[in-house]
Structure formats: structure tokens, C-alpha cells
Amino acid sequence: QVQLVESGGGLVQAGGSLRLSCAASGRTFSTYGMGWFRQAPGKEREFVAAITWSGGRTSYADSVKGRFTISRDRAKKTVYLQMNSLKPEDTAVYYCAVRLHSGDVSTPEYDYWGQGTQVTVSS
């Protein structure tokens, strides 16, 4: 069992920045990758970014590429999402997730999910 706790969400103006954190605990030894997904009201949950745990290879959704940066601290078992140049369209609940098996990290087939943290971008 893996537990994930997101933090760092909040309210910012368009063009501003936020840094999300996701701390993992429990049986994290076999983690292949960690990712961020988001869900806005009335929309499906969508992939945002992911990083492989061992190699640090990153992947981003086209909508955030160039603005968001995902990183991880293996010692702290923590993944971060630096969000710059935020837009109102980025408003959503952001979820951290853990994937145990290799494959396409942009798929929603992750094994563990956090509670989510609200990000609101005002215009």
C-alpha cells in the first residue's frame, strides 16, 4: 500500500506560479513512475506530467509543456510540479499518482492516487 499526500495548491492570478508537492509513504520500493493528473469541473481527468522514478525521464501534456516542470527527490520520496505562467484553464484539482509497472505513463492506469489539491487561477 502506498499513500500519497499532495500540497501546495491555492489561488493565484493568471501568469503566476505555484509549486505542488506530493509525498509518498508506504511500500514505494517498486515504483516505476509518478505522475500528476488534473480534473476540472465537468471534464474528464487528464494527464499533466510524469517522471520515471529511476531515470528521471519526463513526459508532459501538450497543454502544459513549456510552462510546467516535474521533478522528484528520491531520498524524500517526493515529486514536485512547478507550475509557471498559469492560465485560468489550469484551474482544477490536481492529483498525484504512482505507477508500479512500466509502460506509457500518460495513461490513467496508475496504481495509487492521492487525495488531490485544488489549484485555482483567476483572470
Side-chain angles (χ1 to χ4, degrees), residues 46-96:
E46 66 175 350
F47 169 76
V48 176
I51 186 168
T52 59
W53 203 243
S54 61
R57 185 170 65 86
T58 59
S59 181
Y60 298 94
D62 289 341
S63 60
V64 306
K65 192 172 184 179
R67 299 187 298 120
F68 292 7
T69 302
I70 188 170
S71 61
R72 89 276 196 230
D73 185 326
R74 285 171 286 181
K76 295 182 178 180
K77 298 180 181 179
T78 300
V79 65
Y80 306 94
L81 186 67
Q82 180 65 47
M83 310 164 67
N84 298 326
S85 301
L86 283 162
K87 305 175 180 179
E89 306 91 88
D90 296 317
T91 295
V93 176
Y94 283 70
Y95 297 91
C96 175

Side-chain angles (χ1 to χ4, degrees), residues 8-13 18 118-122:
L11 173 65
V12 297
Q13 294 184 335
L18 282 175
Q118 177 70 47
V119 171
T120 302
V121 184
S122 64

Side-chain angles (χ1 to χ4, degrees), residues 96-118:
C96 175
V98 166
R99 186 185 180 99
L100 299 180
H101 300 98
S102 63
D104 184 0
V105 294
S106 67
T107 181
E109 299 301 321
Y110 280 62
D111 299 277
Y112 300 98
W113 296 83
Q115 299 292 323
T117 185
Q118 177 70 47

